[in-house]
Each structure stands twice: as structure tokens, then as C-alpha cells.
Amino acid sequence: MGRVPPGDYAGTSPVWLREPADVNALVPALWPGSARKDDDGVLYVGGLAVPDLVADVNTPAYVLDEEDFRARARAFRDGFAGYDVYYAGKAFLCTAVARWIGEEGLFLDVCSDGELTVALRGGVEPERIGYHGNNKTPMELRRAIVLGVGRIIVDSFHEIERVAAIVAETGTPARVMVRVTAGVEAHTHEFIATAHEDQKFGFSIASGAAFEAARRVIAADGVELLGLHSHIGSQIFDTAGFEVAARRVLALHARIASELGVVLPEMDLGGGFGIAYTSQDDPKPAAELAAGMREIVVHECRALGIEEPRLSIEPGRAIVGPAMCTVYTVGTVKEVELDGGARRTYVSVDGGMSDNIRTALYDADYSCTLASRASAAPPVLARVVGKHCESGDIVVKDEFLPGDIAPGDLVAVPGTGAYGRSMASNYNHALRPPVVAVKDGQARVVVRRETVDDLLATDLG
């Protein structure tokens, strides 16, 4: 095999990745609305130059555009008018974000006592909180019920028994939804609608477990069944998967009314709405998703001859994901020869899988840009990797960066708002980075960087 000519990356990069005409340019769909570069190639977010911003907090650092976050929250609130829109706190939650969610009129989903505590600290009223999880402890359930959270999404027969027992003991009523498995699995551009029930979440519709769960909840004194809950996957770009799931869930909804005599007032279609991580992704606006989902529900309800339940959805990634980027400092650069004579430039940065596990865990794709200067060098195929002792410690698998990328440069990775800080770890005893909120030229640290004292505080020697 002959050598690959310079600039010819056939077979060494994904088919969707194209060599850019201008390696300094941003792809707007991947970045917060305020992101731009000046004539010197310096990245600005929220009116602040990124090099100046990180000079105060060091790198790596998560940069969160507050107005972009709020705008995306409003887009779902307004696009899904008539729905209850729950922000999925698992994507990223801190006190400030909980406060923003409340101020923008959204509800909030939590799935642990810690997330519940942060939500309350951020001023979210308990009745506007939904509580998820497949193994909520009795302590967690008791606290949620006594506080009066708006809904508990039950996920097992044991949990139904626990809720009923706590209600009987405390005399405090509980409102629940039954999470069902509709046999639909949707991820990115594909969905499969056949028997994807080998998972830990939900009661199977096909097996009859979901109907039995509804029957047991209805029979429990002091426990109100609000409706059925369905979640089909993540990174979903169209409504095809929702259509199949809604048909099956609404059929169960109708059966419960017919055979158990209870018309459930609500139904939750879950979340999983996709965002653009790279140029291959093309997410739909919230209003367009809403129109498609509303049409599906209206059509199915008419076909079944039932009234439409009040609907709710749970966007998390779609709100916070694009609103945040992560900034790193380049430490080393290494050129590696590949098969056929092609080359890849390995760019090592001062973070990695401890601040973004998604590439290693899910084989996720990300983009990046040189954030601290402009470059006239031709683009090279690069892989941005972390500093941890794992060969799979990759931040960005494939991207074109300037050929003169060098130690000390800043690299920014967009789309890291969802599950970056939330899934961050202390692997290799790394200190988890700060989250810096920016707006109108002002920066505020909303989650500080961990310190060595934090790290040692739990190590009792």
C-alpha cells in the first residue's frame, strides 16, 4: 500500500468528518449562542475571552453560558406549551441551575437524595419535583413523600409496597407514575421496536407487568396513580420512536380505564432529545419536536376513543448540553504514523476521562477548537487525549486542528454540559474542575474546583 498523500485522510477519519476550509472557524450549531472568535482567533463565551476567564480559575474548566441555558429552557417550555416540562437534573445539576429552572417555569426531575437536596436548596418547590430511580431506598422514599414531591416514578413491585407502607405509616398521601417498558429503544438516528426489555428500568407492557403494577397502585390506600411513564432512549433526533412507544403506552392507558375504571390524568413521554456534538448531528428545534409528538398523541387518542392525558417530557441534555464547553490546556503534542503512511496528531490535555467519561464509556463523538489564538497552519487530523493512565482516555476521537498546535495552547470542547461534570470522578486522584457561569461579560463560579483538602477529607488514614 502506498503512502497517503498529505491532507488525504481516507480510511483514517470518520466518513462524516471533512477537512475544514478554515480550521479556525466555529461550527455554530455546536456552541452556546454567545460563542464567537475575534480576529485574533480568541474564543469568547458570554462576552468573555476564554483565555482571560481560565486565567482566574485554571484549566480544565467547564464554562456554562447562563443565557444560552435559559433560552433553551424557555424554548422547551414554550414549544411544549400545555405540557409539563421537567428538566432532567441528572444531566447537570447545581444550586444555580436549580434556581434557573424554577425561574424559567420548568419542573425538575431528580433521581437521588443528593439531587433532591440540591433542588430544594435552589428553591424548587417540592410539588414541582419528580423523583426517578430503579432502587430508591426507604429513607429516600420517606423523605420524598413527607416533603410532598409532585410525583414518584415507581419502578418495581417492591417499590410500590414500600410507598404504600410509608403512606400508611405517615398518613401522608403520595402521587406516583408507573414507569413502563414499551419495547422501543431509540438512540441517535435509529430506533428498534421489538422486545428491547432486557433492562433494569420499568414494567413490561408486553408481559402484563405494567398493567399489574397499575392495578396494585390503584388498590393502595392513599396512593394516587397519576399516569404512565415511558422513556425510550437518548440522542433522539426525530419522533418515530416516540410514535411507536406512545401507541403502546396509550393502549395500556385505555385498558386501565376500561378494566380498572380509572382514567389516568397524565402521561410522560420521557426525554432523550438529541443535540449536535459534531457536524454529523442535526437536532430539531423544540417547537418542531413538540408539534410532531402532539400530532402522534392526538391521533392515537382519537383512534382509541379516549381523552388526551396531560403530557410531560424530560429534556436534560437538550437544555444544558450545548450551553457548556470545557476548556483545557495542551501539555504535549505527538505525531503518530498510521497504516498506509497516514498520520494522526495526538494532543494531550490537562483533563480527560475524569471530567468527561462519555467518550470512553459510550464511544461518544465530540468536536473541539483552538481557543487561544488564530493559526495559519494547515489542518491536521488530531485526537485529543487526557492525562490519565488508560489508553481509552480520549476526549475527542477525531477532529482537525491547526498543524502548529503546541503546548500551552487552549483547546475548547463544545457540548459538554450533559454528563460531563455530573459523571466526573477523582480517577488518578484528579480534582474535579469548576463550573464557571458566564453572562453579559461577567463570570461567576457556581461550582468551585475541588482542592487537595477536599480529596483528603474523606481519607481517614
Side-chain angles (χ1 to χ4, degrees):
M1 179 182 291
R3 292 180 62 84
V4 177
D8 184 353
Y9 298 98
T12 61
S13 64
V15 294
W16 53 264
L17 183 62
R18 298 288 185 267
E19 184 173 329
D22 180 1
V23 74
N24 298 291
L26 297 180
V27 179
L30 311 184
W31 294 87
S34 69
R36 65 176 183 86
K37 284 190 173 183
D38 66 12
D39 292 340
D40 295 323
V42 173
L43 177 65
Y44 281 71
V45 180
L48 289 169
V50 164
D52 294 339
L53 192 158
V54 299
D56 294 329
V57 297
N58 208 344
T59 57
Y62 304 104
V63 179
L64 174 59
D65 185 330
E66 177 182 344
E67 184 49 44
D68 188 86
F69 179 99
R70 288 179 178 270
R72 294 177 193 275
R74 291 192 296 268
F76 273 94
R77 180 198 67 195
D78 298 343
F80 283 85
Y83 285 56
D84 292 330
V85 179
Y86 283 77
Y87 172 71
K90 64 178 184 174
F92 172 68
L93 187 65
C94 65
T95 302
V97 161
R99 187 179 303 115
W100 300 346
I101 285 297
E103 290 171 353
E104 297 301 338
L106 275 64
F107 296 74
L108 178 63
D109 264 332
V110 302
C111 53
S112 72
D113 189 63
E115 288 183 357
L116 176 61
T117 300
V118 172
L120 296 172
R121 186 177 186 227
V124 181
E125 299 169 347
E127 60 267 26
R128 297 181 68 83
I129 295 174
Y131 206 127
H132 269 282
N134 67 298
N135 186 25
K136 307 176 198 69
T137 67
M139 180 276 290
E140 290 176 311
L141 288 169
R142 181 184 300 275
R143 186 184 185 204
I145 290 169
V146 171
L147 282 171
V149 299
R151 62 186 194 181
I152 296 170
I153 296 84
V154 295
D155 201 87
S156 68
F157 291 119
H158 288 118
E159 187 174 354
I160 294 172
E161 293 172 1
R162 288 172 188 164
V163 169
I166 293 168
V167 167
E169 178 189 344
T170 64
T172 306
R175 296 174 295 274
V176 308
M177 301 189 86
V178 169
R179 180 159 178 174
V180 303
T181 304
V184 176
E185 183 178 56
H187 293 279
T188 312
H189 296 286
E190 300 178 355
F191 81 92
I192 304 172
T194 54
H196 281 270
E197 299 184 350
D198 187 7
Q199 59 165 301
K200 71 176 187 176
F201 292 112
F203 294 92
S204 166
I205 293 177
S207 73
F211 181 82
E212 175 61 17
R215 188 194 67 76
R216 293 191 192 185
V217 172
I218 291 168
D221 291 337
V223 183
E224 179 186 0
L225 179 57
L226 296 176
L228 305 175
H229 182 289
S230 170
H231 179 73
I232 63 173
S234 60
Q235 269 298 86
I236 304 167
F237 289 92
D238 58 46
T239 58
F242 289 107
E243 181 173 4
V244 178
R247 182 180 305 124
R248 295 176 180 180
V249 177
L250 282 165
L252 175 59
H253 176 98
R255 183 187 172 197
I256 291 169
S258 174
E259 297 185 25
L260 301 179
V262 176
V263 177
L264 303 179
E266 300 184 23
M267 187 175 82
D268 193 303
L269 292 174
F273 308 105
I275 67 170
Y277 284 108
T278 67
S279 58
Q280 68 180 320
D281 299 324
D282 186 23
K284 289 181 170 61
E288 188 175 337
L289 289 168
M293 294 175 70
R294 188 173 286 114
E295 181 180 354
I296 290 165
V297 173
V298 168
H299 178 271
E300 294 301 324
C301 286
R302 286 176 180 170
L304 291 164
I306 60 175
E307 292 186 7
E308 299 167 32
R310 182 171 182 84
L311 299 172
S312 52
I313 57 164
E314 301 170 354
R317 179 200 318 263
I319 293 175
V320 72
M324 189 184 292
C325 63
T326 308
V327 183
Y328 302 96
T329 299
V330 176
T332 64
V333 179
K334 181 188 300 183
E335 191 175 49
V336 176
E337 187 166 328
L338 309 177
D339 291 344
R343 292 178 178 275
R344 191 194 314 276
T345 299
Y346 274 75
V347 179
S348 296
V349 296
D350 55 351
M353 62 192 300
S354 59
D355 58 75
N356 188 352
I357 192 65
R358 291 189 69 255
T359 307
L361 189 62
Y362 300 128
D363 197 30
D365 290 311
Y366 284 90
S367 178
C368 63
T369 192
L370 176 61
S372 49
R373 62 180 175 89
S375 173
V380 295
L381 182 63
R383 176 162 291 171
V384 179
V385 297
K387 61 181 294 180
H388 299 291
C389 295
E390 298 286 341
S391 59
D393 178 26
I394 299 170
V395 179
V396 181
K397 291 185 293 183
D398 299 283
E399 184 56 282
F400 285 99
L401 286 171
D404 62 352
I405 189 88
D409 284 334
L410 297 180
V411 169
V413 178
T416 57
Y419 308 106
R421 182 57 173 81
S422 289
M423 298 178 78
S425 74
N426 293 125
Y427 184 53
N428 290 155
H429 280 52
L431 303 176
R432 286 179 290 185
V435 180
V436 185
V438 294
K439 181 182 179 182
D440 299 330
Q442 300 294 317
R444 180 168 68 97
V445 175
V446 294
V447 180
R448 67 165 173 81
R449 184 183 303 280
E450 286 184 325
T451 66
V452 172
D453 287 342
D454 294 327
L455 198 65
L456 297 180
T458 57
D459 187 341
L460 301 183

